[in-house]
Amino acid sequence: MNLGLFMQPVHPPWRDIGEALEEDRQAIMLADRLAFTECWIGEHFTAVTEPISSPLMFCATLVHRTRQIRFGCGVLALPAQHPVVVASQAALFDHLSGGRFLMGVGPGTLSSDVEVFGVDDIVCRSKMMAESLDIILRLWTDKAPFEFDGEFFPFSLQDLSRHRFGVGALVKPLQKPHPPVALSLTAPGSFSAGVCGERGFIPVSANFIHSRHVASHWTTYREGCERAGRRPDPAVWRIARSIFVSDDESLASDRVADPQGVFAWYYEYLLSGFRRRGAVFLVKESDEVADEAITPVGIAESLVIAGTPDRVLDRLIAFREEVGDFGTLLDVAHDWQDPVLGKRSMQLLAEEVMPRFRRHCQAIRRPI
């Protein structure tokens, strides 16, 4: 059971962008010191709330400020860029990071992003993502000349007249045959989970969905593995959760229930998008609950794993019993609001909760 970090990030829009980005960098450097194995950084183009428009550029500033943590994109929205651009820049970062790169991809869901790029239709975006990913993997593993007569990204690279000078050859990634590829999973029984199983990709389950939906991701992933003749491995599965660990149980409860606090703000922001997309069911404890009854504080109290180390450990054990075995717990990097409390939560999770959680997982590991 590894411990990682997932950072969309989400900051209140009135915060200074430079200060918010520096807080995010400090969180990753602290995670590296605390032996978090990986961090995943979101990509959004048109929201100051989620201000990282280039995870690769952002992570490049941290390569020499960290020692061992791996850098993942969570995720690169493939319909927003030409696959040759993505393939070239990702391969470059793989070299710059010394092979510490994890390639998370997706169709993109932020409403203003899909509008500005003219890819509002989810079916179209999903097809664009699949085509782009196929091109990227081909560019990383094959040699020119290339001819791709795709529906969305037709292109050719045929002129090899200066090939002996290296012209016409794309930089290949450092990792062979290519960096690990990951897909984000949100919907119950996510189609992408099956694709991960079939193609050997990493499934990453989102933190903002209710636990009752998470287990279905493993079921679909396992079915995909079986179709491809692969052995399903729980160690590959990443699950993100919002976690707040405190020395004081009352402080933790008050922070989660504070209508002006960081968690209420986070879920108010997400809930506004869910209501637009008709996706409020993702955060419900039961389908019987009316959409109008869902509130940001109510979501926080239901989804955030908070409390003292003992309390958080108990809830993580219960969560694992509900969803099944998985390999990496991704702690979501929320806006610190109070840096002392934010850093202390990460420290307590890494040093007091995770060692005991690992021992528990090893003691009761179940057959696949």
Coordinates of all heavy atoms in Angstrom, one line a residue, residues 256-336:
V256 N -14.2 20.1 8.8 CA -15.0 19.5 7.8 C -16.4 20.1 7.7 O -16.9 20.3 6.6 CB -15.1 18.0 8.0 CG1 -16.1 17.3 7.0 CG2 -13.7 17.3 7.8
A257 N -16.9 20.4 8.8 CA -18.3 21.0 8.9 C -18.4 22.5 8.7 O -19.5 23.0 8.7 CB -18.9 20.6 10.2
D258 N -17.3 23.1 8.6 CA -17.3 24.6 8.5 C -17.8 25.0 7.1 O -17.2 24.8 6.1 CB -15.9 25.1 8.7 CG -15.8 26.6 8.6 OD1 -16.8 27.3 8.5 OD2 -14.6 27.2 8.7
P259 N -19.0 25.7 7.1 CA -19.5 26.1 5.8 C -18.7 27.1 5.0 O -18.9 27.3 3.8 CB -20.9 26.7 6.2 CG -20.8 27.1 7.6 CD -19.8 26.1 8.2
Q260 N -17.7 27.8 5.8 CA -16.8 28.7 5.1 C -15.4 28.1 5.0 O -14.5 28.8 4.6 CB -16.7 30.0 6.0 CG -18.0 30.7 6.3 CD -18.8 31.1 5.0 OE1 -18.1 31.5 4.0 NE2 -20.1 30.9 5.0
G261 N -15.3 26.8 5.3 CA -14.0 26.2 5.3 C -13.6 25.6 3.9 O -14.3 25.7 2.9
V262 N -12.4 25.1 3.9 CA -11.8 24.7 2.6 C -12.5 23.5 2.0 O -12.7 23.4 0.7 CB -10.3 24.3 2.8 CG1 -10.2 23.1 3.8 CG2 -9.6 23.9 1.5
F263 N -13.1 22.6 2.8 CA -13.8 21.4 2.2 C -15.1 21.8 1.7 O -15.5 21.4 0.6 CB -13.9 20.3 3.2 CG -12.6 19.7 3.6 CD1 -12.1 19.9 4.9 CD2 -11.8 19.0 2.7 CE1 -10.9 19.4 5.3 CE2 -10.6 18.5 3.1 CZ -10.1 18.6 4.3
A264 N -15.9 22.7 2.4 CA -17.1 23.2 1.9 C -17.0 23.9 0.6 O -17.8 23.8 -0.4 CB -17.8 24.0 2.9
W265 N -15.9 24.8 0.5 CA -15.6 25.5 -0.7 C -15.4 24.5 -1.9 O -15.9 24.7 -3.0 CB -14.5 26.5 -0.6 CG -13.8 26.8 -1.9 CD1 -12.6 26.4 -2.3 CD2 -14.4 27.6 -2.9 NE1 -12.4 26.9 -3.6 CE2 -13.5 27.7 -4.0 CE3 -15.6 28.3 -3.0 CZ2 -13.7 28.4 -5.1 CZ3 -15.9 29.0 -4.2 CH2 -14.9 29.1 -5.2
Y266 N -14.5 23.5 -1.6 CA -14.2 22.6 -2.6 C -15.4 21.9 -3.2 O -15.6 21.8 -4.4 CB -13.2 21.5 -2.0 CG -12.8 20.4 -2.9 CD1 -11.9 20.5 -3.9 CD2 -13.4 19.1 -2.7 CE1 -11.5 19.5 -4.7 CE2 -13.0 18.1 -3.6 CZ -12.1 18.2 -4.5 OH -11.7 17.2 -5.3
Y267 N -16.3 21.4 -2.3 CA -17.4 20.7 -2.8 C -18.5 21.6 -3.4 O -19.3 21.2 -4.2 CB -18.0 19.8 -1.7 CG -17.1 18.6 -1.5 CD1 -16.4 18.5 -0.3 CD2 -17.0 17.6 -2.4 CE1 -15.5 17.4 0.0 CE2 -16.1 16.5 -2.2 CZ -15.4 16.4 -1.0 OH -14.6 15.4 -0.8
E268 N -18.6 22.8 -2.9 CA -19.5 23.8 -3.6 C -19.0 24.0 -5.0 O -19.9 24.1 -5.9 CB -19.4 25.1 -2.8 CG -20.4 26.2 -3.4 CD -20.4 27.5 -2.6 OE1 -19.6 27.6 -1.7 OE2 -21.2 28.4 -3.0
Y269 N -17.7 24.1 -5.2 CA -17.2 24.3 -6.6 C -17.5 23.1 -7.4 O -18.0 23.2 -8.6 CB -15.7 24.5 -6.5 CG -15.0 24.4 -7.8 CD1 -15.1 25.4 -8.8 CD2 -14.1 23.4 -8.1 CE1 -14.4 25.4 -10.0 CE2 -13.4 23.3 -9.3 CZ -13.6 24.3 -10.2 OH -12.9 24.3 -11.4
L270 N -17.3 21.9 -6.9 CA -17.5 20.7 -7.7 C -19.0 20.5 -7.9 O -19.5 20.1 -9.0 CB -17.0 19.4 -7.0 CG -15.5 19.3 -7.0 CD1 -15.1 18.0 -6.3 CD2 -14.8 19.4 -8.4
L271 N -19.8 20.8 -6.9 CA -21.3 20.5 -7.0 C -21.9 21.4 -8.1 O -22.8 21.0 -8.8 CB -21.9 20.8 -5.7 CG -23.4 20.5 -5.5 CD1 -23.7 19.0 -5.8 CD2 -23.9 20.8 -4.1
S272 N -21.4 22.6 -8.3 CA -21.9 23.5 -9.3 C -21.7 22.8 -10.7 O -22.6 22.9 -11.6 CB -21.2 24.9 -9.3 OG -19.8 24.7 -9.7
G273 N -20.6 22.1 -10.9 CA -20.4 21.4 -12.2 C -21.2 20.2 -12.3 O -21.7 19.9 -13.4
F274 N -21.4 19.4 -11.2 CA -22.2 18.2 -11.2 C -23.6 18.6 -11.5 O -24.3 17.8 -12.3 CB -22.1 17.5 -9.8 CG -20.8 16.9 -9.5 CD1 -20.4 16.6 -8.2 CD2 -19.9 16.6 -10.5 CE1 -19.2 16.1 -7.9 CE2 -18.6 16.1 -10.2 CZ -18.3 15.8 -8.9
R275 N -24.1 19.7 -11.0 CA -25.5 20.0 -11.3 C -25.7 20.4 -12.8 O -26.7 20.0 -13.4 CB -25.9 21.2 -10.4 CG -26.0 20.9 -8.9 CD -26.8 22.0 -8.2 NE -26.7 21.8 -6.7 CZ -27.4 21.0 -6.0 NH1 -28.2 20.1 -6.6 NH2 -27.2 20.9 -4.7
R276 N -24.7 21.0 -13.4 CA -24.8 21.3 -14.8 C -24.8 20.1 -15.7 O -25.5 20.0 -16.7 CB -23.6 22.2 -15.2 CG -23.7 23.7 -14.8 CD -22.3 24.4 -15.1 NE -22.0 24.2 -16.5 CZ -22.3 25.1 -17.5 NH1 -23.0 26.2 -17.1 NH2 -21.9 25.0 -18.7
R277 N -24.0 19.1 -15.2 CA -23.9 17.8 -16.0 C -24.9 16.7 -15.6 O -24.8 15.7 -16.2 CB -22.5 17.3 -15.8 CG -21.4 18.2 -16.4 CD -20.0 17.9 -15.8 NE -19.7 16.5 -15.7 CZ -18.7 16.1 -14.9 NH1 -18.0 16.9 -14.1 NH2 -18.5 14.8 -14.8
G278 N -25.7 17.0 -14.6 CA -26.7 16.0 -14.2 C -25.9 14.8 -13.5 O -26.3 13.7 -13.7
A279 N -24.9 15.1 -12.8 CA -24.0 14.1 -12.2 C -24.0 14.2 -10.7 O -23.0 13.7 -10.1 CB -22.6 14.2 -12.8
V280 N -25.0 14.7 -10.1 CA -25.0 14.8 -8.6 C -25.0 13.5 -7.9 O -24.6 13.3 -6.8 CB -26.3 15.7 -8.1 CG1 -26.3 15.7 -6.6 CG2 -26.2 17.1 -8.7
F281 N -25.5 12.4 -8.7 CA -25.6 11.1 -8.1 C -24.2 10.6 -7.7 O -24.1 9.7 -6.9 CB -26.2 10.1 -9.2 CG -25.3 9.9 -10.4 CD1 -24.4 8.9 -10.4 CD2 -25.4 10.7 -11.5 CE1 -23.6 8.7 -11.5 CE2 -24.6 10.5 -12.6 CZ -23.7 9.5 -12.6
L282 N -23.1 11.2 -8.3 CA -21.8 10.7 -8.0 C -21.4 10.9 -6.5 O -20.6 10.1 -5.9 CB -20.8 11.5 -8.8 CG -20.7 11.2 -10.3 CD1 -19.8 12.1 -11.0 CD2 -20.3 9.7 -10.6
V283 N -22.0 11.9 -5.8 CA -21.7 12.1 -4.4 C -22.7 11.7 -3.4 O -22.6 11.8 -2.2 CB -21.4 13.6 -4.2 CG1 -20.2 14.1 -5.1 CG2 -22.6 14.5 -4.5
K284 N -23.8 11.1 -3.9 CA -24.9 10.7 -3.0 C -24.6 9.3 -2.3 O -24.0 8.4 -2.9 CB -26.2 10.5 -3.8 CG -26.8 11.8 -4.4 CD -28.1 11.4 -5.1 CE -28.8 12.6 -5.7 NZ -30.1 12.2 -6.3
E285 N -25.0 9.3 -1.1 CA -24.9 8.0 -0.3 C -26.0 7.0 -0.9 O -25.8 5.8 -0.7 CB -25.2 8.2 1.2 CG -24.1 9.0 1.8 CD -24.2 9.1 3.3 OE1 -25.0 8.3 3.9 OE2 -23.6 9.9 4.0
S286 N -27.1 7.5 -1.4 CA -28.1 6.7 -1.9 C -28.9 7.4 -3.1 O -29.0 8.6 -3.0 CB -29.1 6.4 -0.8 OG -30.3 5.8 -1.3
D287 N -29.3 6.7 -4.0 CA -30.1 7.3 -5.1 C -31.4 7.8 -4.7 O -32.1 8.6 -5.4 CB -30.3 6.2 -6.2 CG -29.0 5.9 -7.0 OD1 -28.1 6.8 -7.0 OD2 -28.9 4.8 -7.5
E288 N -31.8 7.4 -3.5 CA -33.1 7.8 -2.9 C -33.1 9.3 -2.5 O -34.1 9.9 -2.3 CB -33.6 7.0 -1.8 CG -33.7 5.5 -2.1 CD -34.6 5.2 -3.3 OE1 -35.7 5.8 -3.3 OE2 -34.3 4.4 -4.2
V289 N -31.9 9.8 -2.2 CA -31.7 11.2 -1.8 C -32.0 12.2 -2.9 O -31.4 12.0 -4.0 CB -30.3 11.4 -1.2 CG1 -30.1 12.9 -0.7 CG2 -30.0 10.4 0.0
A290 N -32.8 13.2 -2.7 CA -33.1 14.1 -3.7 C -31.9 15.0 -4.0 O -31.1 15.4 -3.1 CB -34.3 15.0 -3.3
D291 N -31.7 15.4 -5.3 CA -30.6 16.3 -5.6 C -30.6 17.6 -4.8 O -29.5 18.1 -4.4 CB -30.7 16.6 -7.1 CG -30.3 15.4 -8.0 OD1 -30.0 14.3 -7.5 OD2 -30.2 15.6 -9.3
E292 N -31.8 18.1 -4.6 CA -31.9 19.4 -3.9 C -31.4 19.3 -2.4 O -31.1 20.3 -1.8 CB -33.4 19.9 -3.9 CG -33.9 20.2 -5.3 CD -34.2 18.9 -6.1 OE1 -34.4 17.8 -5.5 OE2 -34.3 19.0 -7.3
A293 N -31.4 18.1 -1.9 CA -31.0 17.9 -0.5 C -29.4 17.8 -0.3 O -28.9 17.8 0.8 CB -31.6 16.6 0.1
I294 N -28.7 17.8 -1.4 CA -27.3 17.7 -1.4 C -26.7 19.0 -1.1 O -26.9 20.0 -1.9 CB -26.7 17.0 -2.7 CG1 -27.3 15.7 -2.9 CG2 -25.2 16.9 -2.6 CD1 -27.1 14.7 -1.8
T295 N -25.8 19.1 -0.1 CA -25.1 20.4 0.2 C -23.6 20.2 0.3 O -23.2 19.0 0.5 CB -25.6 20.9 1.5 OG1 -25.2 20.0 2.6 CG2 -27.1 21.1 1.6
P296 N -22.8 21.2 0.1 CA -21.4 21.1 0.1 C -20.9 20.5 1.5 O -20.0 19.6 1.5 CB -20.9 22.5 -0.1 CG -21.9 23.1 -0.9 CD -23.2 22.6 -0.4
V297 N -21.5 21.0 2.6 CA -21.1 20.5 3.9 C -21.5 19.0 4.0 O -20.7 18.2 4.6 CB -21.7 21.4 5.0 CG1 -21.5 20.7 6.4 CG2 -21.0 22.7 5.0
G298 N -22.7 18.7 3.6 CA -23.1 17.3 3.6 C -22.2 16.4 2.9 O -21.9 15.3 3.3
I299 N -21.7 16.8 1.7 CA -20.8 16.0 0.9 C -19.5 15.8 1.7 O -18.9 14.7 1.8 CB -20.5 16.6 -0.4 CG1 -21.8 16.8 -1.2 CG2 -19.5 15.8 -1.2 CD1 -21.6 17.5 -2.5
A300 N -19.0 17.0 2.2 CA -17.7 16.9 3.0 C -17.8 15.9 4.2 O -16.9 15.1 4.4 CB -17.4 18.3 3.5
E301 N -18.9 16.0 4.9 CA -19.0 15.1 6.0 C -19.1 13.7 5.6 O -18.8 12.8 6.4 CB -20.2 15.6 6.9 CG -20.1 16.9 7.6 CD -21.3 17.4 8.3 OE1 -22.4 17.0 7.9 OE2 -21.1 18.0 9.3
S302 N -19.6 13.4 4.4 CA -19.8 12.1 4.0 C -18.5 11.5 3.3 O -18.1 10.3 3.5 CB -20.9 12.0 2.9 OG -21.0 10.7 2.3
L303 N -17.8 12.4 2.6 CA -16.6 11.9 1.8 C -15.3 12.1 2.4 O -14.3 11.4 2.1 CB -16.7 12.5 0.4 CG -17.9 12.2 -0.5 CD1 -17.7 12.6 -1.9 CD2 -18.2 10.7 -0.5
V304 N -15.1 13.1 3.2 CA -13.8 13.4 3.7 C -13.5 12.5 4.9 O -14.2 12.3 5.8 CB -13.7 14.9 4.2 CG1 -12.3 15.2 4.8 CG2 -13.9 15.9 3.1
I305 N -12.3 11.8 4.8 CA -11.9 10.9 5.8 C -11.0 11.8 6.8 O -9.9 12.2 6.5 CB -11.0 9.8 5.3 CG1 -11.9 8.9 4.3 CG2 -10.4 8.9 6.4 CD1 -11.1 7.8 3.6
A306 N -11.6 12.1 8.0 CA -11.0 13.1 8.8 C -11.0 12.6 10.3 O -11.9 11.8 10.7 CB -11.8 14.4 8.7
G307 N -10.1 13.1 11.1 CA -10.0 12.8 12.5 C -8.6 12.6 13.0 O -7.6 13.0 12.3
T308 N -8.5 12.1 14.1 CA -7.1 11.8 14.7 C -6.6 10.6 13.9 O -7.3 9.9 13.1 CB -7.2 11.4 16.1 OG1 -8.1 10.2 16.2 CG2 -7.8 12.5 17.0
P309 N -5.3 10.3 14.0 CA -4.7 9.1 13.3 C -5.5 7.8 13.6 O -5.7 7.1 12.6 CB -3.3 9.1 13.9 CG -2.9 10.5 14.2 CD -4.2 11.1 14.7
D310 N -5.9 7.6 14.8 CA -6.7 6.4 15.1 C -8.0 6.3 14.3 O -8.4 5.3 13.7 CB -6.9 6.2 16.6 CG -5.7 5.9 17.4 OD1 -4.7 5.4 16.7 OD2 -5.7 6.0 18.6
R311 N -8.7 7.5 14.3 CA -10.0 7.6 13.6 C -9.8 7.4 12.1 O -10.6 6.7 11.5 CB -10.6 8.9 14.0 CG -11.9 9.3 13.2 CD -13.0 8.3 13.4 NE -14.2 8.7 12.8 CZ -15.2 7.9 12.5 NH1 -15.1 6.6 12.7 NH2 -16.3 8.4 11.9
V312 N -8.8 8.1 11.6 CA -8.5 8.0 10.1 C -8.2 6.6 9.7 O -8.6 6.0 8.7 CB -7.5 9.0 9.7 CG1 -7.0 8.7 8.3 CG2 -8.0 10.4 9.8
L313 N -7.4 5.9 10.5 CA -7.0 4.5 10.3 C -8.2 3.6 10.2 O -8.4 2.8 9.3 CB -6.0 4.0 11.3 CG -5.7 2.5 11.2 CD1 -4.9 2.2 9.9 CD2 -4.8 2.1 12.4
D314 N -9.1 3.8 11.2 CA -10.4 3.0 11.2 C -11.2 3.2 10.0 O -11.7 2.3 9.4 CB -11.2 3.3 12.5 CG -10.6 2.8 13.8 OD1 -9.7 1.9 13.7 OD2 -10.9 3.3 14.8
R315 N -11.3 4.5 9.5 CA -12.1 4.8 8.4 C -11.4 4.3 7.1 O -12.1 3.8 6.2 CB -12.4 6.3 8.3 CG -13.3 6.8 9.4 CD -13.8 8.2 9.0 NE -14.6 8.2 7.8 CZ -15.1 9.3 7.3 NH1 -14.9 10.5 7.9 NH2 -15.8 9.3 6.1
L316 N -10.1 4.3 7.0 CA -9.4 3.7 5.8 C -9.6 2.2 5.8 O -9.8 1.7 4.7 CB -8.0 4.1 5.9 CG -7.6 5.5 5.5 CD1 -6.1 5.8 5.7 CD2 -8.0 5.9 4.1
I317 N -9.5 1.6 6.9 CA -9.8 0.1 7.0 C -11.2 -0.2 6.5 O -11.4 -1.1 5.7 CB -9.5 -0.4 8.4 CG1 -8.0 -0.4 8.7 CG2 -10.0 -1.9 8.5 CD1 -7.6 -0.7 10.1
A318 N -12.2 0.6 7.0 CA -13.5 0.3 6.6 C -13.7 0.6 5.1 O -14.5 -0.1 4.4 CB -14.5 1.2 7.4
F319 N -13.1 1.6 4.6 CA -13.1 2.0 3.1 C -12.6 0.8 2.3 O -13.2 0.4 1.3 CB -12.4 3.3 2.9 CG -12.3 3.6 1.4 CD1 -13.4 4.2 0.8 CD2 -11.1 3.4 0.7 CE1 -13.3 4.5 -0.6 CE2 -11.0 3.8 -0.6 CZ -12.1 4.3 -1.3
R320 N -11.4 0.3 2.7 CA -10.8 -0.8 2.0 C -11.7 -2.0 2.0 O -11.8 -2.8 1.0 CB -9.4 -1.1 2.5 CG -8.7 -2.2 1.8 CD -7.3 -2.4 2.4 NE -6.6 -3.4 1.7 CZ -6.7 -4.8 1.9 NH1 -7.6 -5.2 2.8 NH2 -6.0 -5.6 1.2
E321 N -12.3 -2.3 3.1 CA -13.3 -3.4 3.2 C -14.4 -3.3 2.2 O -14.9 -4.2 1.7 CB -13.8 -3.5 4.7 CG -12.8 -4.1 5.6 CD -12.4 -5.6 5.3 OE1 -13.3 -6.4 5.0 OE2 -11.2 -5.8 5.2
E322 N -14.8 -2.0 2.0 CA -16.0 -1.7 1.1 C -15.6 -1.9 -0.3 O -16.3 -2.5 -1.1 CB -16.5 -0.4 1.4 CG -17.7 0.0 0.5 CD -18.3 1.4 0.8 OE1 -17.7 2.1 1.7 OE2 -19.3 1.8 0.2
V323 N -14.4 -1.3 -0.7 CA -14.0 -1.3 -2.1 C -13.1 -2.4 -2.6 O -13.0 -2.7 -3.8 CB -13.4 0.1 -2.5 CG1 -14.3 1.2 -2.1 CG2 -12.0 0.2 -1.8
G324 N -12.4 -3.1 -1.6 CA -11.5 -4.1 -2.0 C -10.1 -3.7 -2.0 O -9.7 -2.5 -1.6
D325 N -9.2 -4.6 -2.4 CA -7.8 -4.3 -2.4 C -7.4 -3.3 -3.5 O -7.9 -3.3 -4.6 CB -7.0 -5.6 -2.7 CG -7.2 -6.6 -1.6 OD1 -7.6 -6.3 -0.5 OD2 -6.9 -7.8 -1.9
F326 N -6.4 -2.4 -3.1 CA -5.9 -1.5 -4.1 C -4.4 -1.2 -3.7 O -4.0 -1.6 -2.6 CB -6.7 -0.2 -4.2 CG -6.8 0.6 -3.0 CD1 -6.0 1.7 -2.7 CD2 -7.8 0.2 -2.0 CE1 -6.2 2.4 -1.6 CE2 -8.0 1.0 -0.8 CZ -7.1 2.1 -0.6
G327 N -3.7 -0.6 -4.6 CA -2.2 -0.5 -4.4 C -1.7 0.8 -3.9 O -0.7 0.9 -3.2
T328 N -2.4 1.9 -4.2 CA -1.9 3.3 -3.8 C -3.1 4.1 -3.4 O -4.0 4.3 -4.1 CB -1.1 4.0 -5.0 OG1 0.0 3.2 -5.4 CG2 -0.6 5.3 -4.5
L329 N -2.9 4.7 -2.2 CA -3.9 5.7 -1.7 C -3.4 7.1 -2.1 O -2.3 7.4 -1.7 CB -4.0 5.6 -0.2 CG -4.9 6.6 0.5 CD1 -6.3 6.5 0.2 CD2 -4.7 6.5 2.1
L330 N -4.2 7.8 -2.8 CA -3.8 9.2 -3.2 C -4.5 10.2 -2.3 O -5.7 10.3 -2.3 CB -4.2 9.4 -4.7 CG -3.5 8.5 -5.7 CD1 -4.0 8.8 -7.1 CD2 -2.0 8.6 -5.6
D331 N -3.7 10.9 -1.5 CA -4.2 11.9 -0.6 C -4.4 13.2 -1.5 O -3.5 13.6 -2.1 CB -3.2 12.2 0.5 CG -3.5 13.3 1.4 OD1 -4.7 13.6 1.6 OD2 -2.6 13.9 2.0
V332 N -5.6 13.7 -1.4 CA -6.0 14.9 -2.3 C -5.4 16.2 -1.6 O -5.6 16.4 -0.4 CB -7.5 15.0 -2.5 CG1 -7.8 16.3 -3.2 CG2 -8.0 13.8 -3.3
A333 N -4.7 16.9 -2.4 CA -4.1 18.2 -1.9 C -5.1 19.3 -2.0 O -5.2 19.9 -3.0 CB -2.8 18.5 -2.7
H334 N -5.8 19.5 -0.9 CA -6.7 20.7 -0.9 C -6.0 21.9 -0.5 O -4.8 21.9 0.0 CB -7.8 20.4 0.2 CG -8.7 19.3 -0.2 ND1 -9.9 19.5 -0.9 CD2 -8.7 18.0 0.1 CE1 -10.5 18.4 -1.1 NE2 -9.8 17.5 -0.5
D335 N -6.6 23.1 -0.8 CA -6.0 24.4 -0.4 C -5.8 24.3 1.1 O -6.6 23.8 1.9 CB -7.0 25.5 -0.6 CG -6.5 26.9 -0.4 OD1 -6.5 27.3 0.8 OD2 -6.1 27.5 -1.3
W336 N -4.6 24.7 1.5 CA -4.2 24.5 3.0 C -5.0 25.4 3.9 O -5.3 25.0 5.0 CB -2.7 24.8 3.1 CG -1.8 23.6 2.9 CD1 -2.3 22.3 2.8 CD2 -0.4 23.6 2.7 NE1 -1.2 21.4 2.6 CE2 0.0 22.2 2.5 CE3 0.5 24.6 2.6 CZ2 1.3 21.8 2.3 CZ3 1.9 24.2 2.4 CH2 2.2 22.8 2.2

